[in-house]
Amino acid sequence: MLQLGFGSVNELLLYRIDALDAEVRSALHLAAVLGTEFDLIDAALTYEHMFRIRDSDRLESAMGLCSLLEVAVDEGILEQSFAVGDDDDDDDDHYPVDEGVHASKSDKGTKGASLGNVTIPLKGRRSHPLYAENRLYRFTHDSWKTSILGVMLDGRKAELHENVAITLEHKMIDEGDLKEQSRLLSHWIASGNFAKAADLGIKIGSQMMILGLNPGALLIFDDVLDIFTSIETEKGGERYGGKMLNAPCLAFSFIVYLCYVYLCYSNNNPFVLYILRH
C-alpha cells in the first residue's frame, strides 16, 4: 500500500471513489445515507422524488440508477442479492377480495368477476415498475460507507436524509410497523427536521410505552431532544433544520419534554437528574 503512495486504507478508498464518474458518486452518496443495507425500490423512489421524475419516466430512471449501482458492484463497493421482496402469501393483505369471492394467484390486482374485473391500483412500493425485480444492496465493508459519508457536507447529508424520509413517509403502507416507523424517524432526526421528528417520535414513544418498553421510548425522546438542543442562531433568528422555529415547533418540544419527564419518573429516576442533564 505504501508503495502506491497511500498512507492509509481510507486514502486508498477515497482515491477509488474519486476515480468514479460524478453520477456514480452521487448514487453512492444516496446509498450511504440509506444505510449499510438498502433495496433498489427505496433508492429509486427517493431518486424520483429528488429529481421530480414523471410517471412515464419511472422505469427509465430506475434502470439508470441500476446501471450506476452496478458500477459500484463491479468496483467491489457494493454487493447485491435478488432474494428480496414481500412474501407472495401476503398478497391478500394488499389485494382484498369480498368474502365468498375467490381470486386466483394469476388475477393479482383484481377483486374478481363479481366486480367486473375492476383493477385495484397498486399502492406504495408495489406501484413501482421494478417492484417484481427488486434487489438488495449492501456495502461490502463499513469503511466504504464511512469514507463516503466523511467527505459529504453536513448540509448535503441532511438534504438526502430528508428526501429519504419524505419518500418513506409517502410510500409507507403499514403505519403500525414500529420497525419501519423507527427507520423513518432516524432519517427525520438525521435531516434536522425537528417538527417532523418530534411528531413521529411522540407517536412511536407512546406505542412503546403502551407495550411497556419505557427504556426504548426514553432513548427515542432523548434523540429528538438532541435535535432541539442543537438549535443554531443565524442572523439574529433561531433556525432549526434550515427552517425558522415557529409556535407549533415549540409546542412539539414542550410535549416531548413532558413525555421525557414522565418516563424519568416511571423509571424511578430522580427529577433533579433530569434538570441537571438539560
Side-chain angles (χ1 to χ4, degrees):
M1 184 182 304
L2 294 178
Q3 293 179 350
L4 295 176
F6 301 108
S8 66
V9 173
N10 185 60
E11 290 183 9
L12 174 60
L13 298 182
L14 291 177
Y15 173 80
R16 291 184 58 187
I17 292 171
D18 288 341
L20 299 172
D21 290 340
E23 291 184 344
V24 177
R25 293 199 302 271
S26 179
L28 285 174
H29 289 170
L30 174 59
V33 166
L34 283 169
T36 302
E37 187 175 275
F38 63 95
D39 68 31
L40 172 62
I41 300 303
D42 282 344
L45 289 173
T46 304
Y47 248 58
E48 291 173 14
H49 171 74
M50 291 169 57
F51 298 107
R52 305 295 188 269
I53 302 299
R54 296 176 297 182
D55 288 345
S56 58
D57 297 328
R58 297 183 74 192
L59 179 59
E60 181 181 356
S61 172
M63 294 300 294
L65 178 58
C66 281
S67 299
L68 298 177
L69 295 176
E70 188 66 32
V71 173
V73 172
D74 292 339
E75 291 291 329
I77 301 174
L78 297 175
E79 57 186 9
Q80 67 176 345
S81 169
F82 292 89
V84 64
D86 295 336
D87 192 343
D88 290 337
D89 293 335
D90 293 332
D91 285 342
D92 291 340
D93 294 335
H94 301 279
Y95 305 93
V97 296
D98 293 337
E99 293 185 15
V101 178
H102 301 282
S104 66
K105 289 291 183 178
S106 61
D107 291 328
K108 293 178 182 178
T110 64
K111 278 196 172 183
S114 63
L115 296 181
N117 292 325
V118 176
T119 300
I120 300 176
L122 299 178
K123 297 180 180 180
R125 292 161 53 84
R126 287 177 175 268
S127 67
H128 197 276
L130 284 185
Y131 177 78
E133 301 177 37
N134 194 15
R135 63 205 68 177
L136 187 69
Y137 291 97
R138 182 182 181 86
F139 281 95
T140 55
H141 198 282
D142 282 341
S143 296
W144 283 114
K145 186 184 71 173
T146 302
S147 296
I148 294 170
L149 292 174
V151 297
M152 294 173 61
L153 297 175
D154 290 342
R156 174 60 172 168
K157 286 186 283 190
E159 179 185 9
L160 287 175
H161 276 293
E162 181 158 345
N163 278 289
V164 173
I166 292 173
T167 301
L168 293 177
E169 189 175 66
H170 287 173
K171 301 301 180 180
M172 196 174 291
I173 297 176
D174 185 4
E175 296 185 355
D177 190 330
L178 279 178
K179 181 179 179 181
E180 288 300 305
Q181 290 289 307
S182 297
R183 183 162 71 108
L184 173 59
L185 176 62
S186 68
H187 286 292
W188 279 129
I189 290 176
S191 74
N193 191 318
F194 175 77
K196 284 287 190 178
D199 184 35
L200 184 58
I202 292 170
K203 293 178 182 177
I204 297 176
S206 299
Q207 293 182 59
M208 296 183 72
M209 289 165 62
I210 292 175
L211 296 174
L213 304 175
N214 286 8
L218 185 64
L219 292 175
I220 288 176
F221 293 137
D222 202 16
D223 287 342
V224 174
L225 284 172
D226 284 343
I227 306 178
F228 186 74
T229 56
S230 65
I231 294 176
E232 297 181 356
T233 300
E234 182 176 315
K235 295 182 180 179
E238 290 183 324
R239 301 184 65 84
Y240 197 82
K243 302 176 178 62
M244 291 296 296
L245 284 176
N246 49 36
C249 190
L250 292 175
F252 280 133
S253 69
F254 179 68
I255 295 174
V256 174
Y257 265 99
L258 289 180
C259 292
Y260 192 93
V261 173
Y262 171 80
L263 282 175
C264 283
Y265 273 121
S266 67
N267 285 279
N268 298 317
N269 292 326
F271 181 68
V272 65
L273 293 180
Y274 168 77
I275 295 297
L276 292 175
R277 185 174 183 179
H278 295 86

